[in-house]
Amino acid sequence: MTIIGTIVTDYIVEPRLGKYNGKFLEGAFESNQITAKEQKALRMANITLLVMTLLVVLVCLPADSFMRNPKTGSLIAGAPLMQSIIVLIMFFFLIPSVVFGYVSGKFKDNKDVCGAMGKAMSSMGAYIALAFVAAQFISYFSYTKLGTIIALKGAQFIESTGIGGIPLMILFILFSAFINLFMGSASAKWTILAPVFIPMFMLLGYSPELTQVAYRIGDSTTNIITPLMSYFAMIIVFAKEYDENSGIGTLISTMLPYSIFFLIGWSLLLVVWMFFGLPLGPGAGLFM
């Protein structure tokens, strides 16, 4: 897949993009000298980060630590440490950054800190606007149950074809890839499709592992070209940083070659696995 991705990038996608004249091109690779004051600020920020890490570790070490699960003593399952991980990550980014700002002279008071935080969040405005529209689109699909209807009707069609072996798995891969354009959640699709296809394929002599592999191939290859993907809006926001004219069509047309060739590559790999009867996991071996 790495080889396929490289070939698609070098010979298909990159030549179509043309010469880049965006705002990030000019001086993008010029090195910036760090001043002595900034070096000192960076050292202080790193020391602050190290001290914070040591404090968290020391707090977690005692067997009766308040960061542990009071019943099991675990630091993972049901532990306050894991329940507060988002807040901890926020402080691990915020405090060293503030230390760097004050020591380097970039921050004079709390207004500068708030201003920097506001500037960092300003780029999220476009994402929030796109996410709102995308949420309405996804909500209508959920309300109409269109994705569920297509999944169930498609399952009935595949069952009615009566084909088996490698062609059956290729058809299931294409069906999963098509359904992924209408249902963004992989777990939701699998919840619908698994009770239908796993028993059906097991009756034909195919293991659940094989069914899941075929499903994941189809599900993964069309993620980047469906607007229902949860990160689609965020990707467009980042694309606009380099090309202000980027939009849904730009992203889909750019990534479509990857979807097509990855779908072909993964499918051929599965065909090889099935042809030689290679096991996919414990109990998997009935392919043909």
Side-chain angles (χ1 to χ4, degrees):
M1 302 312 295
T2 302
I3 294 173
I4 292 175
T6 302
I7 293 174
V8 171
T9 300
D10 289 346
Y11 294 99
I12 300 178
V13 175
E14 189 172 353
R16 293 173 55 198
L17 297 178
K19 184 179 179 180
Y20 178 65
N21 296 310
K23 57 186 177 181
F24 280 91
L25 181 63
E26 190 68 28
F29 300 101
E30 293 180 0
S31 60
N32 295 318
Q33 292 293 331
I34 300 178
T35 65
K37 197 171 185 179
E38 289 175 336
Q39 289 180 344
K40 178 183 177 182
L42 188 59
R43 284 195 299 269
M44 293 301 298
N46 287 334
I47 292 173
T48 303
L49 180 63
L50 180 61
V51 171
M52 292 175 63
T53 304
L54 291 175
L55 286 175
V56 172
V57 172
L58 290 174
V59 169
C60 294
L61 282 179
D64 58 347
S65 171
F66 65 89
M67 299 295 279
R68 295 178 177 271
N69 187 317
K71 296 182 179 179
T72 64
S74 172
L75 283 171
I76 301 177
L81 174 66
M82 298 307 297
Q83 294 172 353
S84 60
I85 193 69
I86 295 177
V87 177
L88 287 175
I89 292 175
M90 184 269 292
F91 280 121
F92 269 74
F93 275 97
L94 175 64
I95 296 177
S97 300
V98 172
V99 170
F100 176 86
Y102 275 109
V103 176
S104 65
K106 296 182 181 296
F107 295 160
K108 303 299 182 181
D109 50 32
N110 62 320
K111 292 182 180 179
D112 293 334
V113 176
C114 294
M117 295 175 66
K119 183 179 180 181
M121 289 298 297
S122 62
S123 60
M124 292 293 292
Y127 170 74
I128 294 173
L130 284 170
F132 173 77
V133 177
Q136 306 307 310
F137 186 63
I138 294 172
S139 178
Y140 278 118
F141 262 88
S142 176
Y143 174 75
T144 59
K145 306 297 182 184
L146 182 60
T148 304
I149 293 171
I150 294 175
L152 294 176
K153 293 294 183 181
Q156 294 174 3
F157 168 75
I158 291 179
E159 185 177 12
S160 65
T161 58
I163 62 176
I166 292 176
L168 176 63
M169 287 302 147
I170 296 299
L171 184 61
F172 181 55
I173 289 173
L174 294 176
F175 172 68
S176 300
F178 176 72
I179 290 299
N180 193 45
L181 297 175
F182 301 93
M183 299 180 67
S185 172
S187 58
K189 290 192 299 291
W190 185 241
T191 301
I192 295 172
L193 298 181
V196 178
F197 284 101
I198 287 182
M200 182 176 72
F201 287 169
M202 287 183 69
L203 291 174
L204 297 175
Y206 305 111
S207 66
E209 294 90 343
L210 177 62
T211 305
Q212 189 171 30
V213 167
Y215 165 75
R216 289 296 294 129
I217 290 174
D219 173 69
S220 64
T221 51
T222 53
N223 278 331
I224 196 58
I225 61 172
T226 171
L228 294 181
M229 185 182 67
S230 56
Y231 301 111
F232 196 88
M234 176 60 78
I235 295 172
I236 293 178
V237 170
F238 279 112
K240 284 184 176 293
E241 291 293 327
Y242 297 88
D243 183 0
E244 295 179 351
N245 296 321
S246 295
I248 294 176
T250 306
L251 179 59
I252 292 178
S253 62
T254 302
M255 303 309 296
L256 186 59
Y258 293 105
S259 290
I260 294 173
F261 283 93
F262 282 172
L263 181 62
I264 295 173
W266 278 122
S267 299
L268 290 176
L269 186 62
L270 182 61
V271 167
V272 171
W273 237 253
M274 293 180 66
F275 183 80
F276 289 101
L278 302 175
L280 291 169
L286 297 175
F287 295 142
M288 304 300 291

